[in-house]
Amino acid sequence: MDRFVNVAVPLPMRKLFTYRASSDHAVERGSRVIVPFGNKFYTGIVVELDVPPHPDAKPIAEVLDEQKPAIPPVLLDLTRWIADYYLCSWGEALAAALPRPLAPQSVVRVRIRRMPSEQEQRAMERRAPKRARLLTLLASHRSPVTIAHVERQLEAESITAQLEALEQAGYIELLTSIEGAQSPPVERAVQLSDELASSAQAFQRVLEELERRAPKQAQALVAIAQHTTEVRAPLRWKDAQRLASDGVLRALVARGYLVQSMIERSSHPEPPVESLAPEHNERELPLTDEQTHAVERIRQALEDGKPKTFLLHGVTGSGKTLVYIHAIATALEQGRTALVLVPEISLTPQLIDRFHRAFGEGVIAFHSRMSATERYTAWRAIRNGDARVVLGPRSALFAPLERVGIIIVDEEHDPSYKQESPAPRYHGRDAAVVRAHLEHAVAVLGSATPSLESMYNAGTGRYHLLELARRADGALLPTIRLVHVIEERKRGAMHGRFSRILLEAIIERVAKREGVILLHNRRGFAPRLECPECGYVPHCSTCSVALTYHKRTNQLRCHYCGRSYPVPDHCPQCGNPTLEAIGAGTQRIEDELDALLKQNGVSAVIARVDSDSTSPKGSLRKLLHDFASGRSDIIIGTQMIAKGLDIGRVTLVGVINADMQLYVPDFRAAERTFQLLTQVAGRAGRRSDRPGEVIIQTAHPDHTAIRCAAMYRYDLFYNDELQERREAHYPPFSRVVLVEFSGTDAALVEQHAQAFAHYMPRGIEAITPLGPARPSIERLESKYRRIVLVKGDRQLDPNGVELRRALLTAWSAYTQRYASSSVRVTIDVDTQSSL
């Protein structure tokens, strides 16, 4: 008898859809199913079983999980919470929990059936030029092409109307197929033939013959027989090559003594050749009194088996990672698993190496820089129970780990934990706390510079505060010197963007073969080019931002949409033959420093660490290993180098410009400046025998954020900033929701934003709508933008129920009258975006 189930489909619709499952389909909650929706097919997730029959329910096309559902119950509950809190569909939240290879989708391709006659072509060019252009483009392709490809070629948002008209006229044909499914990756393996495996006499007879004629083959056969007997599984060809040469193995196969087969590739990655972990096992290191106290508090919570959240506030170098390792060991001893989140992938190499050294196999990295096959393999290993510790950025929150005992969020303050786009726009830290609660697990949020929200939660008793006030191993915090660049420039003591004080300190460290880290939080060569005659600045054609100059590739690049442009050989406005590079990015800082060192007779190897230099796979690990081993002397980088690096030879940290994000239009600007300076300062002097120094160049040495960072006074900064937030009614005293409207027609976008603001309920004391307003960047990727900001009072509306109700009320009224494909609306709850 057929069953009816509700399926969450990965579309932005806040409802479930009922489908019919035949008696042959063994579906469970959390199972992936392919379902028809309109004229397409999607991978949906079964979320409710045995619902009331629906007369129009379509049948499920295919069940992808016949044995074990892809989404375990805890992740069903977590994604439901994410959908409710962040105002997205349950299907969108579930889609975030599935790697792309696990979600095959419908792909529509188009091909030409017949070309129009010359008369038809001319008539079409007059009456429907878009249709004519589309048909001409399709004629240039011999095989069917995807609609997405055609839209990119035509630079069009949607060509649905043109496709429908051409299909009805018989010019084209639309082809639908389901693509994207991936099978487990396999590799070649080898084992004894059935005859030799089942008969000791036959094996001995063959072995005696080989010992006379081919002793190397005899040795290989014995080794492979021992493996297959002990492990009772084929031996990977890659491993067999360590026992014998390819020629020997092929000869044994040719004689029928060995049999080749294909087996599922091992889920455990090969250990890196160049490890970034210390040589010793950190689990054997003694703990300080503060670390011991923290570990004991976490251990007790794990033994109690009740959900609890700790905020681990430890100065840089205080050994928070060692606390994590001991806490994870406790969870593993209880037969539970551990999930470790880091803010970005750049922190993964060193941590994963340290955890491999501490826990051996069973530690799996899970992140978006992995290839589709690697990510799929890691996901399967986790789902099959092969992983004990999973580490990765915010998306690893959805790893299908079972029996989770502890969830660690390292550098919990980092804005990278907030998903900006696409939906769900969740905060990884906050969702991790919710998952820990659902798992009856312990959550540990660690940082040297906790977010104001987390410290406020600790102050109100929602989190339990643990503090590490001193560095481990007797190391001291580095001394911090502020250099007032305006005064230094007046004295003639600036060499380009380097003060004499910083330059001399760099030269001294290079001479001692000590490591130097320089922070400059802007990539590229220069933020913009400018004509010295008329002031012309090249801008992106689709975004209202100046283009960044990249000298290495001689390109202008938009850091918002990613488009690249050639550098003009003259000013297109006045014809002036030169454009000047204004400001500096990491490339220019690298060039300037290299020239200054050579002028002083110093030879140094400089490495640059930013998203441009670390995009090739494995490049970041190599850069860090070269620096840690002394093969490079200086690292210049963006905020990627400010967190998590524990390299003992670093004795100097320099900040080229501490003011870069101090005055951006964002209420978190001061907090982020304080956090960045404190974090990068902590990279220096992490060994007791190598004291560190930090030199911060700034034009605003008296700013609270910079002064407090220089004094290591988190408490002073927290109290000052908290008072300002209270007066301005910003988090942690409110929730801030950003509703963005975007489209190619500026007037239409404004109209829609005004309509939504009009529909926001009035007279609710806990809710304050603001706007519409123009954001600081008014146009992105050819789309004009308007924003409505909505604040919700946390004291009057502790759980945000009233806030979400008001937003959904406005959304419902707005969509009934104004919903249009021409204007896109996004709702970002607890936004971290600059306005």
Side-chain angles (χ1 to χ4, degrees):
M1 183 177 177
D2 289 351
R3 304 167 66 192
F4 290 86
V5 298
N6 277 345
V7 175
V9 180
L11 295 171
M13 289 181 281
R14 293 174 56 82
K15 60 181 294 188
L16 302 176
F17 298 91
T18 303
Y19 286 89
R20 187 169 64 250
S22 72
S23 55
D24 297 334
H25 287 152
V27 294
E28 298 181 41
R29 285 188 77 233
S31 294
R32 294 173 301 146
V33 291
I34 294 180
V35 293
F37 193 94
N39 60 353
K40 292 186 177 181
F41 288 86
Y42 291 94
T43 298
I45 304 296
V46 175
V47 294
E48 294 176 357
L49 299 173
D50 300 320
V51 300
H54 193 288
D56 299 325
K58 296 180 180 179
I60 291 172
E62 184 177 351
V63 177
L64 298 177
D65 299 316
E66 292 286 358
Q67 297 179 341
K68 190 174 186 179
I71 305 294
V74 165
L75 289 187
L76 284 175
D77 294 340
L78 176 64
T79 51
R80 182 59 187 263
W81 176 85
I82 286 174
D84 291 342
Y85 185 85
Y86 294 102
L87 300 178
C88 65
S89 74
W90 197 356
E92 288 175 308
L94 284 163
L98 280 178
R100 187 169 296 177
L102 286 159
Q105 303 290 355
S106 181
V107 176
V108 180
R109 286 182 165 80
V110 57
R111 71 178 178 188
I112 286 188
R113 293 184 64 184
R114 70 178 182 89
M115 286 299 296
S117 65
E118 290 185 13
Q119 184 178 358
E120 289 173 323
Q121 182 73 24
R122 286 194 297 270
M124 191 183 299
E125 288 172 353
R126 287 195 309 271
R127 294 196 304 267
K130 289 184 179 179
R131 242 177 274 169
R133 188 172 167 224
L134 171 57
L135 208 54
T136 301
L137 175 64
L138 292 175
S140 66
H141 292 82
R142 294 184 177 181
S143 56
V145 294
T146 64
I147 292 177
H149 172 77
V150 176
E151 288 175 341
R152 285 195 300 269
Q153 292 290 308
L154 296 175
E155 297 184 353
E157 287 186 41
S158 175
I159 57 172
T160 302
Q162 288 77 26
L163 289 172
E164 288 177 352
L166 290 172
E167 185 181 33
Q168 288 176 3
Y171 292 120
I172 66 170
E173 181 180 12
L174 297 177
L175 308 170
T176 302
S177 60
I178 298 174
E179 299 180 6
Q182 185 158 343
S183 301
V186 294
E187 60 184 327
R188 190 161 49 141
V190 67
Q191 60 187 348
L192 285 180
S193 67
D194 290 343
E195 181 184 356
L196 297 189
S198 59
S199 171
Q201 292 179 342
F203 179 82
Q204 189 61 37
R205 186 175 63 253
V206 168
L207 188 61
E208 290 172 358
E209 178 189 346
L210 289 177
E211 284 174 343
R212 291 194 306 271
R213 299 183 178 180
K216 290 184 179 180
Q217 293 181 28
Q219 292 175 2
L221 195 65
V222 170
I224 293 171
Q226 287 176 341
H227 170 88
T228 53
T229 302
E230 293 171 2
V231 180
R232 296 185 179 181
L235 179 66
R236 296 189 309 166
W237 189 272
K238 187 184 298 183
D239 294 332
Q241 287 175 316
R242 296 171 185 162
L243 305 174
S245 67
D246 245 16
V248 168
L249 295 174
R250 285 197 299 269
L252 290 171
V253 171
R255 292 184 170 187
Y257 301 151
L258 295 180
V259 177
Q260 291 187 85
S261 61
M262 302 302 291
I263 62 171
E264 187 172 336
R265 187 176 298 163
S266 170
S267 59
H268 297 291
E270 295 289 332
V273 176
E274 300 175 329
S275 175
L276 297 170
E279 294 182 1
H280 52 269
N281 188 332
E282 293 178 88
R283 291 175 65 177
E284 299 171 359
L285 291 176
L287 297 173
T288 66
D289 291 343
E290 290 179 329
Q291 289 172 332
T292 299
H293 174 71
V295 169
E296 285 304 316
R297 290 285 305 279
I298 297 170
R299 186 194 305 275
Q300 186 61 53
L302 283 165
E303 289 175 356
D304 290 345
K306 296 178 181 178
K308 200 169 193 176
T309 301
F310 292 97
L311 175 61
L312 180 62
H313 178 202
V315 299
T316 55
S318 58
K320 291 186 290 296
T321 303
L322 194 56
V323 172
Y324 299 159
I325 287 173
H326 281 266
I328 290 170
T330 300
L332 300 185
E333 288 165 6
Q334 295 178 352
R336 304 188 74 179
T337 58
L339 179 60
V340 182
L341 301 185
V342 294
E344 53 186 294
I345 298 166
S346 63
L347 293 182
T348 304
Q350 192 170 41
L351 265 184
I352 198 73
D353 289 356
R354 292 173 73 174
F355 285 178
H356 271 304
R357 184 66 53 85
F359 302 113
E361 286 195 353
V363 179
I364 290 182
F366 190 59
H367 55 78
S368 58
R369 283 256 186 109
M370 304 168 89
S371 68
T373 299
E374 289 171 334
R375 192 167 169 82
Y376 175 69
T377 302
W379 186 92
R380 278 179 56 87
I382 297 167
R383 190 71 184 105
N384 291 337
D386 296 336
R388 298 189 302 158
V389 180
V390 172
L391 182 144
R394 62 173 181 264
S395 58
L397 172 71
F398 301 109
L401 265 179
E402 295 183 348
R403 307 183 313 282
V404 174
I406 187 168
I407 300 178
I408 293 168
V409 184
D410 192 30
E411 310 293 0
E412 65 83 29
H413 66 277
D414 199 285
S416 300
Y417 280 119
K418 184 65 162 69
Q419 166 88 354
E420 298 291 349
S421 186
R425 294 171 177 81
Y426 67 98
H427 198 298
R429 175 199 62 214
D430 299 341
V433 172
V434 172
R435 178 167 184 180
H437 182 81
L438 294 170
E439 299 267 12
H440 296 283
V442 171
V444 180
L445 316 180
S447 176
T449 55
S451 64
L452 260 73
E453 290 91 335
S454 291
M455 185 55 78
Y456 184 76
N457 283 337
T460 57
R462 186 177 178 187
Y463 296 165
H464 301 268
L465 181 63
L466 302 173
E467 294 197 274
L468 305 177
R470 290 179 292 276
R471 281 191 156 184
D473 302 330
L476 299 176
L477 288 167
T479 58
I480 297 181
R481 301 169 65 185
L482 298 181
V483 176
H484 193 172
V485 292
I486 295 177
E487 295 299 322
E488 293 298 296
R489 193 168 287 114
K490 290 178 181 177
R491 293 172 46 226
M494 292 294 296
H495 303 271
R497 286 154 185 85
F498 288 84
S499 64
R500 184 176 301 158
I501 295 170
L502 178 55
L503 183 60
E504 289 175 353
I506 293 171
I507 293 172
E508 177 188 344
R509 293 326 194 282
V510 171
K512 292 180 179 179
R513 301 292 297 161
E514 294 174 350
V516 177
I517 288 178
L518 298 176
L519 171 71
H520 189 68
N521 203 18
R522 178 172 284 154
R523 60 192 174 102
F525 184 82
R528 69 182 190 276
L529 294 182
E530 185 175 300
C531 175
E533 294 294 326
C534 69
Y536 167 79
V537 175
H539 275 64
C540 178
S541 63
T542 64
C543 306
S544 55
V545 294
L547 294 167
T548 300
Y549 174 45
H550 287 251
K551 186 179 179 181
R552 301 289 191 278
T553 56
N554 195 35
Q555 287 182 327
L556 295 172
R557 191 177 303 166
C558 178
H559 286 179
Y560 287 87
C561 70
R563 282 181 170 81
S564 296
Y565 304 82
V567 177
D569 54 10
H570 64 276
C571 174
Q573 189 163 282
C574 72
N576 184 56
T578 58
L579 295 177
E580 293 181 354
I582 306 298
T586 49
Q587 293 177 8
R588 190 170 200 165
I589 297 298
E590 181 184 5
D591 288 355
E592 282 190 8
L593 179 59
D594 186 54
L596 287 169
L597 291 177
K598 286 177 179 175
Q599 288 173 18
N600 286 272
V602 177
S603 176
V605 178
I606 303 173
R608 180 167 49 86
V609 177
D610 53 31
S611 57
D612 296 322
S613 64
T614 60
S615 54
K617 187 176 179 180
S619 57
L620 178 60
R621 176 182 289 279
K622 186 177 188 313
L623 282 168
L624 294 179
H625 188 270
D626 287 349
F627 182 59
S629 61
R631 287 201 285 265
S632 60
D633 304 292
I634 302 167
I635 276 187
I636 298 172
T638 58
Q639 50 82 32
M640 292 174 68
I641 62 170
K643 298 159 288 194
L645 294 185
D646 186 2
I647 298 175
R649 63 185 294 262
V650 175
T651 59
L652 176 66
V653 166
V655 180
I656 306 301
N657 183 354
D659 314 322
M660 292 187 68
Q661 65 184 67
L662 199 53
Y663 294 105
V664 298
D666 185 348
F667 69 87
R668 290 188 175 89
E671 180 184 13
R672 288 180 177 168
T673 297
F674 172 82
Q675 289 167 339
L676 184 61
L677 295 180
T678 304
Q679 291 285 340
V680 76
R683 301 313 110 205
R686 296 175 74 93
R687 302 295 181 269
S688 57
D689 59 339
R690 291 188 174 185
E693 181 182 19
V694 181
I695 297 173
I696 298 175
Q697 298 185 159
T698 174
H700 303 278
D702 293 326
H703 193 284
T704 300
I706 293 175
R707 281 193 297 109
C708 290
M711 295 186 294
Y712 295 108
R713 291 299 301 272
Y714 174 86
D715 57 333
L716 286 182
F717 176 78
Y718 171 75
N719 290 327
D720 284 354
E721 187 70 10
L722 195 68
Q723 183 59 33
E724 290 193 15
R725 298 275 186 93
R726 181 182 282 110
E727 292 171 359
H729 199 56
Y730 275 120
F733 303 101
S734 68
R735 288 182 175 85
V736 179
V737 180
L738 184 71
V739 186
E740 180 184 305
F741 301 81
S742 62
T744 56
D745 185 329
L748 188 63
V749 171
E750 176 71 29
Q751 178 189 2
H752 280 236
Q754 292 284 357
F756 185 90
H758 171 75
Y759 287 127
M760 279 297 299
R762 306 291 167 173
I764 302 176
E765 188 180 358
I767 298 167
T768 306
L770 303 168
R774 297 188 180 194
S776 55
I777 301 176
E778 185 179 351
R779 192 167 66 111
L780 281 177
E781 298 190 59
S782 299
K783 307 269 194 330
Y784 293 92
R785 305 164 66 220
R786 295 292 184 272
I787 58 174
V788 173
L789 208 64
V790 185
K791 289 183 179 179
D793 190 300
R794 282 184 177 269
Q795 187 173 1
L796 298 175
D797 184 23
N799 296 317
V801 174
E802 289 292 334
L803 176 63
R804 291 192 293 277
R805 183 182 295 131
L807 287 164
L808 290 174
T809 298
W811 172 254
S812 177
Y814 163 82
T815 52
Q816 285 179 19
R817 287 197 60 186
Y818 286 89
S820 166
S821 60
S822 300
V823 177
R824 183 185 179 208
V825 184
T826 60
I827 300 177
D828 186 6
V829 178
D830 294 341
T831 182
Q832 302 283 307
S833 298
S834 300
L835 305 182

